[in-house]
Amino acid sequence: MAIETLLMALFLILLVSRLFGELCQRVGWPAVVGEISAGIMLGPSLLGWLHPEPVLANIAELGVILLLFSIGTETSIKRLYHSGLQIILVAVIGIILPLLMTGIVAYYAMALSPFAALFYGCALTATSIGISVSVLKDTQQQQESCSHIILGAAVVDDIVGVILLSLLFTFANDGSVAPLPMLKLILTLLAFLLLAPVVGRGLIYLLRFLSGHAQNLGYEAVVMLSLICLFAWLAHHVGAPALLGGFSAGLALSRQFVSPWQRYLQNPFPFTNKLEHAMQPLTEVFAPIFFVYVGISVDLSQLAIDQNNLLLLLLMVILAVFGKLLAGLPLQCGWRDRMIVGCAMVPRGEVGLVFAQFGLQLGIISNGVFTELVLVIIATTLLGPVLLKRLLIAKKNA
């Protein structure tokens, strides 16, 4: 992509996403709905001014990494730990139900091969952490107990998604799956999530010491962005989604961070507060680019428009939504909190799109099936935040 093309693309993305986001907020919808809609309008589905490009995809991924960093700074590890069993319950149900329901329909109604139908179902097991938690932040309810269940379950979904993607990739290339490499991948992901925040906290103490010798302005923003990029690279290097690296860096800044040596060290909160505030403008600029790119990835011209196909598409959306809604029902809490957790798990977002693109590149699914799958992902990504925000506002006013 030429520099002048990139500059115009960023101009359109930032301007139109801001406009649409403001309009949606004025009518009571989450800003992310407007940002995704902006991408659909600018992309090949309508105006055709922008198309999926590797450069834009990388910038969009940086946006979601920064968004997950922001989420990590407000996450309580202690609350995640105490909600452990509920998190696993929500995640497991939210994976198994969509996989079975959509996979079976894809096999029988869409006449896909067993492997392609399994892939279709796996693509709809994902949950986008960034989208739902963005709505929680908008309504200032990110510290509620159900918010920690949502975040933890979405992280588990991402880990399982990486494992499923690796299994499918191995099977598509070799025709079999080796158990030992898969076990190694699982243990590596868990070790990263446990150790990365601790290492990050140690680096923050070092950065605080060095800050006393810094002469140039912008020290906090530069060192924090460097740390986020490092952790995102490490996450990708060990086979995890890069966004989990941003989340781990955010956990290291969290006010509720707990470590064995904390009692012996001076409280770093004044410095971590500076780091967090220095990153906020960057997050506000780059995060919307990710949501717009989700919309740009859709090409409605690839969709076969006929009654049977539209009904099948509607059925897939319903199954994808209800498969996640039901995940919140077994929780030991009020019905509204159960529905909030279920709605927050509905958006598939970036993880689902990665699955879909992967299947297209390997030839597991055709262009037509890819477009239909992306539309189901987009529909859940639009419906989830709308339902979630309405429930959160109702809870807040109750």
Side-chain angles (χ1 to χ4, degrees):
M1 178 181 278
I3 184 62
E4 64 271 16
T5 307
L6 175 61
L7 291 173
M8 180 52 66
L10 291 176
F11 166 76
L12 291 171
I13 288 171
L14 294 173
L15 182 65
V16 179
S17 66
R18 184 69 181 188
L19 176 62
F20 278 38
E22 291 284 348
L23 289 173
C24 281
Q25 285 189 319
R26 287 180 183 272
V27 298
W29 289 0
V32 294
V33 173
E35 290 159 0
I36 294 171
S37 301
I40 293 173
M41 187 191 78
L42 294 170
S45 297
L46 293 176
L47 296 178
W49 293 352
L50 299 176
H51 295 82
E53 295 275 357
V55 175
L56 285 180
N58 289 335
I59 296 173
E61 186 165 3
L62 176 60
V64 79
I65 288 170
L66 292 177
L67 179 61
L68 264 292
F69 161 77
S70 176
I71 292 163
T73 61
E74 299 172 0
T75 299
S76 168
I77 299 174
K78 186 181 291 186
R79 289 188 187 178
L80 285 177
Y81 173 76
H82 287 307
S83 302
L85 292 177
Q86 296 187 84
I87 286 171
I88 293 172
L89 182 63
V90 170
V92 169
I93 295 174
I95 290 168
I96 292 175
L97 288 183
L99 191 154
L100 290 177
M101 292 191 295
T102 58
I104 290 171
V105 172
Y107 177 70
Y108 286 104
M110 298 175 66
L112 298 183
S113 68
F115 182 59
L118 175 64
F119 175 85
Y120 194 105
C122 287
L124 294 174
T125 62
T127 294
S128 175
I129 308 175
I131 291 172
S132 293
V133 182
S134 178
V135 178
L136 292 169
K137 289 185 68 177
D138 286 346
T139 54
Q140 298 179 346
Q141 296 193 47
Q142 65 269 33
Q143 294 299 331
E144 297 291 328
S145 58
C146 59
S147 300
H148 288 83
I149 294 173
I150 291 165
L151 182 59
V155 169
V156 172
D157 268 8
D158 264 352
I159 295 171
V160 173
V162 172
I163 295 167
L164 288 174
L165 200 59
S166 301
L167 287 169
L168 292 169
F169 179 81
T170 303
F171 186 84
N173 284 286
D174 303 333
S176 62
V177 175
L180 287 180
M182 284 302 103
L183 179 61
K184 182 181 177 182
L185 174 63
I186 295 169
L187 294 176
T188 302
L189 291 176
L190 293 175
F192 178 82
L193 284 172
L194 290 172
L195 296 177
V198 177
V199 174
R201 192 67 160 195
L203 290 174
I204 285 169
Y205 281 105
L206 175 62
L207 293 173
R208 186 185 62 173
F209 170 76
L210 295 175
S211 67
H213 304 280
Q215 300 296 321
N216 297 325
L217 295 175
Y219 173 82
E220 289 84 5
V222 170
V223 297
M224 197 62 243
L225 183 59
S226 301
L227 195 63
I228 292 168
C229 290
L230 173 63
F231 276 73
W233 177 83
L234 287 171
H236 179 76
H237 186 68
V238 301
L243 55 86
L244 289 185
F247 178 67
S248 298
L251 283 177
L253 257 71
S254 174
R255 286 182 174 272
Q256 295 146 56
F257 183 91
V258 178
S259 67
W261 65 79
Q262 190 165 309
R263 69 183 70 177
Y264 305 111
L265 296 173
Q266 184 182 359
N267 192 320
F269 290 159
F271 181 64
T272 58
N273 193 48
K274 283 184 181 180
L275 294 175
E276 185 179 345
H277 279 83
M279 290 305 301
Q280 189 171 352
L282 285 173
T283 304
E284 296 295 333
V285 170
F286 282 96
I289 298 176
F290 157 69
F291 297 117
V292 175
Y293 192 79
V294 171
I296 293 172
S297 301
V298 176
D299 186 358
L300 294 176
S301 65
Q302 296 290 326
L303 183 64
I305 305 297
D306 60 68
Q307 184 177 356
N308 290 336
N309 198 53
L310 290 176
L311 287 174
L312 182 58
L313 190 62
L314 178 61
L315 175 61
M316 283 298 193
V317 172
I318 292 171
L319 293 176
V321 170
F322 274 94
K324 291 290 188 179
L325 281 178
L326 295 174
L329 293 184
L331 295 176
Q332 301 298 317
C333 56
W335 70 268
R336 186 176 279 119
D337 282 344
R338 296 180 191 180
M339 292 300 296
I340 286 172
V341 171
C343 287
M345 303 299 289
V346 167
R348 285 5 184 234
E350 76 285 355
V351 184
L353 290 173
V354 168
F355 255 100
Q357 190 66 38
F358 166 83
L360 182 65
Q361 289 175 349
L362 286 184
I364 300 172
I365 55 177
S366 64
N367 283 324
V369 174
F370 168 77
T371 300
E372 293 175 10
L373 178 56
V374 169
L375 283 177
V376 175
I377 293 168
I378 293 294
T380 62
T381 304
L382 291 172
L383 286 171
V386 173
L387 295 172
L388 178 60
K389 186 168 185 179
R390 292 187 181 278
L391 284 168
L392 288 170
I393 291 173
K395 179 184 176 181
K396 198 172 184 180
N397 296 332

